[in-house]
């Protein structure tokens, strides 16, 4: 949002498009935020009815993922009609379906979900419409994440990448969240719940132990859903040595399932959990 706003303020919005790649498991308040922000950037009336519709997005785990996908397809269609410069696309799979297809569970080193649902999808969309000299790719990372720029540039080459929030004036996340208040846009609720990013509804295979404990504390049902999915994938692969999380004890790396992590937390063994291990999303890298 802030990167798009900075570009809009500098160069206007006439030739600016917004591209959103939907993993189908985003927090419902992310969809609200995206629709509200996109309308604001293009100086369109606040689409109150669409914002209200976001409240009824089924929770992940409450309905089969295909039902959620249908609801989101419908919402995306309406949002794009109302905000023509917004392009809301989806591969049709969620991260767990990608893991199933790729026969591996994503983790901090290998995140096939990011590769399939974000990187390939967005790149193919751009490639199908623009030659490298016809498009500039703007990404929203900020100056605290500048180390990610070279990998993003490599991934998009030969397209040119610009990361406006890595440039002056440097803003902290709190500055950006305060700006939202100035614009009259509610801060996405995951930030108020202590999440470091607003991706995949507070789930992320690149997250660490602390990240997942935060999910457990804030949304136990969603945690239990992903916990069950991880065990289901292990059964499908016929392997118990593949997990999202690992823990290194005296130099030896061990697998750590979400069920084991929850068991430790629930039985008061929180001290052996590394709550500072938040991990990082880096979805476009
Ligand atoms: S946020 Fe995490 S889980 Fe979601 S697509 Fe990106 S890497 Fe995968």
């Amino acid at each position: 949002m802030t990167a798009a706003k900075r570009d809009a303020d500098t160069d206007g919005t006439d030739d600016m498009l917004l591209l959103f790649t939907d993993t189908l498991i985003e927090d419902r308040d992310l969809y609200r935020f995206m629709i509200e922000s996109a309308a604001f950037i293009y100086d369109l009336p606040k689409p109150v009815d669409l914002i209200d519709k976001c409240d009824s997005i089924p929770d992940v785990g409450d309905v089969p993922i295909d039902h959620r996908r249908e609801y989101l397809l419908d919402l995306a269609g309406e949002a794009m009609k109302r905000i023509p410069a917004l392009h809301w696309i989806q591969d049709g799979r969620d991260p767990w379906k990608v893991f199933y297809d790729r026969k591996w569970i994503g983790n901090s080193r290998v995140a096939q979900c990011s590769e399939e649902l974000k990187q390939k999808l967005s790149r193919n969309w751009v490639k199908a419409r623009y030659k490298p000299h016809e498009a500039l790719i703007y990404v929203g990372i900020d100056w605290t994440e500048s180390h990610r720029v070279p990998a993003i540039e490599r991934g998009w080459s030969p397209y040119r990448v610009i990361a406006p929030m890595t440039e002056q004036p440097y803003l902290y996340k709190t500055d950006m969240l305060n700006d939202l208040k100035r614009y009259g846009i509610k801060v996405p609720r995951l930030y108020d719940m202590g999440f470091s990013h607003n991706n995949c509804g507070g789930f992320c295979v690149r997250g660490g132990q602390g990240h997942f404990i935060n999910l457990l504390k804030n949304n136990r049902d969603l945690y239990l859903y992903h916990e069950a999915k991880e065990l289901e994938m292990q059964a499908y692969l016929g392997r118990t040595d593949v997990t999202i999380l690992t823990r290194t004890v005296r130099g030896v790396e061990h697998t750590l399932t979400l069920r084991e992590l929850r068991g430790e937390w629930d039985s008061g063994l929180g001290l052996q959990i590394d709550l500072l291990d938040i991990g990082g999303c880096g979805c476009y890298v």
Side-chain angles (χ1 to χ4, degrees), residues 5-38:
K5 179 78 172 72
R6 187 172 273 190
D7 181 41
D9 289 346
T10 311
D11 295 318
T13 55
D14 287 350
D15 59 355
M16 185 175 92
L17 303 178
L18 300 178
L19 181 62
F20 170 55
T21 49
D22 192 353
T23 63
L24 307 181
I25 62 165
E26 305 298 338
D27 186 54
R28 72 160 73 98
D29 195 49
L30 173 138
Y31 298 105
R32 183 277 307 165
F33 173 70
M34 198 235 332
I35 292 170
E36 196 174 350
S37 302

Side-chain angles (χ1 to χ4, degrees), residues 23 95 111 113-114 117-118 197 199-200 203-206 281 283:
T23 63
C113 43
S114 167
L117 306 182
K118 297 279 182 188
H197 65 70
N199 293 334
C200 279
F203 169 75
C204 181
V205 294
R206 282 181 163 147
C281 177
C283 216

Side-chain angles (χ1 to χ4, degrees), residues 180-212:
L180 292 180
K181 287 181 196 153
R182 269 196 312 118
Y183 306 148
I185 297 175
K186 200 154 62 85
V187 170
R189 66 176 184 171
L190 288 195
Y191 292 121
D192 290 336
M193 293 177 187
F195 288 98
S196 59
H197 65 70
N198 187 18
N199 293 334
C200 279
F203 169 75
C204 181
V205 294
R206 282 181 163 147
Q209 296 168 47
H211 172 88
F212 279 99

Side-chain angles (χ1 to χ4, degrees), residues 23-25 60-61 63-70 94 225:
T23 63
L24 307 181
I25 62 165
V60 171
V63 294
I65 199 72
D66 284 348
H67 290 199
R68 195 174 209 251
R69 185 169 74 90
E70 290 306 314
D94 71 334
Y225 170 80

Side-chain angles (χ1 to χ4, degrees), residues 4 51 86 168 189 228 236 262:
I51 290 170
L86 171 65
Q168 290 183 353
R189 66 176 184 171
Y236 168 64
R262 177 171 62 84

Side-chain angles (χ1 to χ4, degrees), residues 262-277:
R262 177 171 62 84
E264 289 176 3
W265 181 258
D266 285 349
S267 56
L269 294 173
L271 280 181
Q272 69 188 45
I273 298 173
D274 184 356
L275 295 177
L276 296 180
D277 175 20

